[in-house]
Amino acid sequence: MTLAQAGHRRDERIDRGLDFLSEQVRSADGSVRSTCEGEDVGWPRGPEPGRTIAATLITGEGLKRTYPASLTLLAFSLWDAHPDKRERITGFLLRQSRSGLWGPIRQAPPSPGFTGAVLTALIAATRDAAPFRRSFRYLRSTRLQPDRWLREEDVWVVSAHDQELYGSISIPATTWCRTAFELMRDPSRAKEALIANGPDPDFSTGLEDQNLVSPPVRRRDLQAPSIPR
């Protein structure tokens, strides 16, 4: 994606990368494998969805995450590559939706960052923003300021080699939501919209230090007051 934004010409290295991504698309449902080894099996802690959902999954399937699928679809769209896989991933993401809203997995509550990322990928792939009016109303309703949203985080556990490995990635919600709105106005300008709106430089501010998806972290600097003897 970054090389496409930078105007890099397509060569054999780009094709190898796109072919590698193509190999991660599951033929059964269009979901995308998102780990080098093992499979996503759940969230590390916190309320549902988590290990209870993970325990109900068929071994080897893992939790089908929307963010890796969105990034893969967007990469294919920017390079106009693997149309068959683009169609499969598009179908998968549409099935992950709850009335045009998305979270990190289908079983999770929706959030603006994941919704914005999926919208960006779907509109870049289909060049049609018309089916997503409800999605954009939701993004407008979740703004903190006219063009700011809370940062989010995607967290998961990978089961590999008989051990569980923790993983997480920051989701720049403001970047994805701004880009989705740009594509709503002109669905054909995906590269330009990404360059204009990301990455969000304001992660150091107080609002962006919060998140909506990962479990809350107890602050270590908050201690109970001492009781005089």
Side-chain angles (χ1 to χ4, degrees):
M1 288 168 48
T2 302
L3 291 172
Q5 290 172 258
H8 193 281
R9 68 178 181 86
R10 185 163 174 174
D11 56 22
E12 67 277 3
R13 293 170 296 180
I14 299 296
D15 285 334
R16 282 200 298 270
L18 293 168
D19 289 343
F20 169 78
L21 292 178
S22 176
E23 293 169 0
Q24 312 314 311
V25 181
R26 294 185 178 96
S27 58
D29 59 7
S31 61
V32 177
R33 297 181 183 88
S34 55
T35 62
C36 295
E37 295 183 274
E39 290 288 348
D40 298 343
V41 295
W43 286 358
R45 59 186 183 277
E48 298 288 1
R51 295 188 184 281
T52 301
I53 289 176
T56 67
L57 299 173
I58 300 174
T59 302
E61 283 296 306
L63 291 176
K64 311 291 180 62
R65 291 167 49 227
T66 60
Y67 199 59
S70 300
L71 296 181
T72 303
L73 177 59
L74 185 54
F76 288 161
S77 298
L78 292 176
W79 287 105
D80 193 22
H82 296 288
D84 56 331
K85 299 300 175 66
R86 293 205 305 265
E87 184 175 352
R88 289 182 182 277
I89 299 173
T90 297
F92 164 74
L93 288 173
L94 291 174
R95 291 191 299 273
Q96 291 287 97
S97 167
R98 293 184 175 184
S99 303
L101 309 179
W102 286 267
I105 57 175
R106 179 174 175 79
Q107 300 94 326
S111 64
F114 289 95
T115 297
V118 174
L119 284 177
T120 296
L122 288 176
I123 296 172
T126 65
R127 301 202 171 188
D128 184 7
F132 306 113
R133 292 187 179 92
R134 183 177 187 270
S135 311
F136 284 107
R137 288 198 299 270
Y138 168 73
L139 294 186
R140 291 188 184 97
S141 71
T142 54
R143 292 178 295 187
L144 297 174
Q145 298 172 8
D147 61 351
R148 293 282 298 280
W149 286 260
L150 283 175
R151 178 182 63 83
E152 301 172 26
E153 190 175 8
D154 193 3
V155 294
W156 64 92
V157 169
V158 176
S159 178
H161 302 302
D162 297 323
Q163 60 179 327
E164 291 186 344
L165 308 174
Y166 168 83
S168 68
I169 187 172
S170 180
I171 307 297
T174 294
T175 294
W176 290 121
C177 293
R178 286 176 179 170
T179 303
F181 277 111
E182 287 288 329
L183 289 180
M184 179 182 67
R185 289 184 278 271
D186 188 350
S188 67
R189 296 175 60 85
K191 293 181 185 178
E192 294 84 350
L194 284 165
I195 292 171
N197 295 287
D200 180 13
D202 297 328
F203 279 173
S204 61
T205 65
L207 292 176
E208 302 295 353
D209 284 340
Q210 305 177 55
N211 63 72
L212 300 178
V213 177
S214 61
V217 177
R218 186 175 181 179
R219 290 180 56 186
R220 296 178 180 178
D221 59 333
L222 297 180
Q223 298 179 354
S226 59
I227 301 176
R229 293 179 180 272

